[in-house]
Amino acid sequence: MIHTEKDKDKFLTILAKNAGNVSAACNAFNMNRGTYYNWLEDESFKAIVDEIQESLIDNAESKLQKLINEDSPVAILFYLKT
């Protein structure tokens, strides 16, 4: 199956909807992981994958900070240890 740039765009949307879970996104797109890893050689594709992963980290960090602001001892200890 030949994949187009449009296919890559669709896959990236699915990847974002699956919280960056490559296996889930590949299954939803009916594609094997090997194809995904081949696509990572495309710098523009990889840059968007990196952005998706960074946005997930940003989201988690903001939720952690919210818990810290609410004086959650667990969140505070987690932050201090990591």
Side-chain angles (χ1 to χ4, degrees):
M1 176 177 188
I2 296 174
H3 295 281
T4 65
E5 292 302 312
K6 194 173 185 179
D7 290 331
K8 289 180 182 179
D9 290 341
K10 287 179 188 177
F11 178 82
L12 289 167
T13 299
I14 293 170
L15 182 65
K17 287 181 182 177
N18 282 277
N21 183 315
V22 174
S23 292
C26 286
N27 287 337
F29 196 67
N30 197 26
M31 176 177 84
N32 66 53
R33 289 176 64 99
T35 300
Y36 167 79
Y37 290 112
N38 287 337
W39 284 358
L40 285 177
E41 295 174 14
D42 174 347
E43 288 300 318
S44 61
F45 178 83
K46 185 179 183 320
I48 297 170
V49 168
D50 291 345
E51 285 177 27
I52 290 168
Q53 292 171 342
E54 280 298 316
S55 71
L56 294 169
I57 292 169
D58 291 345
N59 184 40
E61 288 173 342
S62 69
K63 290 182 184 217
L64 175 61
Q65 188 60 51
K66 181 177 184 245
L67 290 172
I68 289 169
N69 292 343
E70 294 171 357
D71 295 327
S72 166
V74 173
I76 293 167
L77 287 172
F78 178 82
Y79 180 81
L80 291 173
K81 287 184 175 188
T82 60

